[in-house]
Amino acid sequence: MGSVFGAARRVWPAGGLAVPLVLVLGGVQAPAAAAVQEAAPVVAVVCGKTAPVAAKGGPKGAPGGRGTACPAQRGGKKPKAERGPAGPQGPPGPCVDIDTVGVPGSMSGAEYSAALSRGRTYVGYRSAPTGAYAWKDLTNHRQTPGYPRNACGVAVKVADRVYVKVLTTAGAVFETSCTLTLTCTLGWAAVINP
């Protein structure tokens, strides 16, 4: 019997813990043994990594003494959505256009321009590249008859006269011309379509 008590006083190392041998051999769960078993090391998950927990149950601080705060983690990529079918064609936008040509041999930078805006076509002249234009409306049916209603593009050319052409939304080309001083009395004439 003395050997049993002697063994009870000795400690048996088990997994780094000291457990009385008599209680273990006898199959008795004493509160002291249960308390010793509860003090076993526990592993916690911190920021997706395993980290040991302190003996008192709280997590150990991160290196550098900054606690257990986790840095922001990036999520996975979202799958790309499939592109839907194309919608119907919208109405055409307003037709606006401008074309400019310099006066041949002009030392001052004089130029002629033709502009299309809000369904009307204009021809203009200015004597310097930063000067104001003098505009002439070419949609006046009394002075320049035959102006097409659906003009959408404009071009200008200077030779012995100032020639202005428009392109319609249907692909037809019309032209007229004015004198170099912008006296415009000729009507619009259809040109062979491109």
Side-chain angles (χ1 to χ4, degrees):
M1 201 67 169
S3 64
V4 173
F5 288 114
R9 289 186 184 151
R10 281 189 259 153
V11 177
W12 182 275
L17 297 177
V19 180
L21 183 61
V22 166
L23 297 175
V24 174
L25 292 176
V28 177
Q29 288 286 337
V36 170
Q37 287 178 352
E38 287 179 16
V42 179
V43 175
V45 177
V46 179
C47 296
K49 298 178 183 176
T50 58
V53 176
K56 293 185 179 178
K60 286 185 178 180
R66 296 188 180 180
T68 59
C70 299
Q73 294 181 4
R74 179 175 257 172
K77 289 185 177 181
K78 293 182 181 179
K80 289 186 176 181
E82 292 184 28
R83 183 175 287 228
Q89 174 121 13
C95 293
V96 290
D97 197 9
I98 190 166
D99 189 26
T100 302
V101 64
V103 176
S106 171
M107 299 301 284
S108 65
E111 61 187 20
Y112 289 94
S113 289
L116 180 89
S117 177
R118 298 183 184 139
R120 303 183 80 78
T121 299
Y122 304 89
V123 64
Y125 171 80
R126 67 181 181 179
S127 58
T130 58
Y133 271 99
W135 292 103
K136 188 80 158 186
D137 188 351
L138 298 178
T139 57
N140 186 329
H141 291 291
R142 285 186 232 146
Q143 292 180 346
T144 55
Y147 179 75
R149 292 185 185 185
N150 53 353
C152 202
V154 68
V156 64
K157 175 186 171 185
V158 177
D160 58 329
R161 295 177 65 86
V162 181
Y163 296 91
V164 178
K165 294 178 182 66
V166 294
L167 177 67
T168 69
T169 56
V173 178
F174 291 81
E175 69 179 349
T176 189
S177 66
C178 305
T179 65
L180 295 177
T181 58
L182 296 186
T183 302
C184 306
T185 56
L186 298 177
W188 290 88
V191 179
I192 297 173
N193 292 353

